[in-house]
Amino acid sequence: MNYFNRPAERFEVEWQERFRNLQALICELVLKNEQLRMALASITVITHEEARERDG
């Protein structure tokens, strides 16, 4: 019986490790998305006319 349990336990450990890796990747992507959102929010888009007025 122990012989049959070991592969299942190993499968469970491998699955948990992959799940943790996936969670870490998702967290990293969420963080990068937030950083990108903040960077894009800081960009001001102006028209050519506004640029001419600003530049004199």
Side-chain angles (χ1 to χ4, degrees):
M1 188 68 175
N2 196 18
Y3 173 79
F4 293 106
N5 287 338
R6 289 183 68 199
E9 290 169 1
R10 188 172 62 234
F11 174 80
E12 180 69 19
V13 168
E14 290 173 2
W15 183 86
Q16 288 175 354
E17 183 179 340
R18 288 180 183 151
F19 185 72
R20 280 193 303 272
N21 290 342
L22 183 58
Q23 284 180 314
L25 178 61
I26 290 170
C27 289
E28 186 177 334
L29 289 173
V30 167
L31 176 62
K32 291 203 180 297
N33 183 58
E34 182 64 16
Q35 291 169 340
L36 179 59
R37 188 192 64 76
M38 288 171 45
L40 289 174
S42 70
I43 296 173
T44 303
V45 178
I46 61 173
T47 65
H48 289 293
E49 190 173 310
E50 291 170 326
R52 269 190 248 128
E53 290 174 5
R54 183 193 63 190
D55 296 339

